[in-house]
Amino acid sequence: MRMTTTTVSTKLFTALIRPHHITSRKKLQRVKKAASQHALPFVLIRSGASPGIMYAEGAEADVIAWVSFVRGLRYKDFQCPRKPAENEVLVPTQTAPGTFEEVTSVTEFGYRMEQRGLLSWWKLAMGYTSPE
């Protein structure tokens, strides 16, 4: 059973990256370290199989720098369907800054996007829905 948490609507820069897959633990550690170095308050990764998905939120310069770093890791079929842009995000009040979460299913990733008020933004970027 999932717990309900209190959220606060906040304007943050967000980005979504979709490589073919994320399986290298060594590369993933570098992604995590870069998120910490760029002071990103929240990063969510879907790893283990195809498709790989990475989501980051934070200050504009930090998100842009992190996306650039990840691009430099040369993930297979690197795509950035949601380039860094300002978004209204529901941020849980109990989330510690510098949170780096990893999930293994697309369903769980979608649930996390829904919690942040970004489900339709994410579904459109992933190609699961079409623009209306």
Side-chain angles (χ1 to χ4, degrees), residues 63-73:
V63 173
I64 290 170
W66 181 80
V67 168
S68 180
F69 175 83
V70 174
R71 177 178 278 119
L73 292 175

Side-chain angles (χ1 to χ4, degrees), residues 1 5 7 13 25 48 51 55 66 78 84 106 117 119:
M1 177 182 263
T5 59
T7 58
F13 273 76
R25 300 309 299 172
Y55 165 80
W66 181 80
F78 178 95
V106 175
L119 186 61

Side-chain angles (χ1 to χ4, degrees), residues 113-130:
M113 291 289 96
E114 184 177 26
Q115 287 179 315
R116 296 185 106 67
L118 297 171
L119 186 61
S120 54
W121 173 88
W122 175 75
K123 281 183 171 182
L124 188 59
M126 293 296 292
Y128 299 147
T129 58
S130 57

Side-chain angles (χ1 to χ4, degrees), residues 18-48:
R18 191 176 64 212
H20 182 268
H21 62 274
I22 303 170
T23 55
S24 169
R25 300 309 299 172
K26 195 172 191 178
K27 271 189 185 177
L28 200 51
Q29 282 305 105
R30 293 179 68 194
V31 168
K32 184 176 184 175
K33 184 176 180 183
S36 176
Q37 288 173 335
H38 293 294
L40 295 177
F42 183 74
V43 173
L44 178 63
I45 306 287
R46 191 278 177 161
S47 64

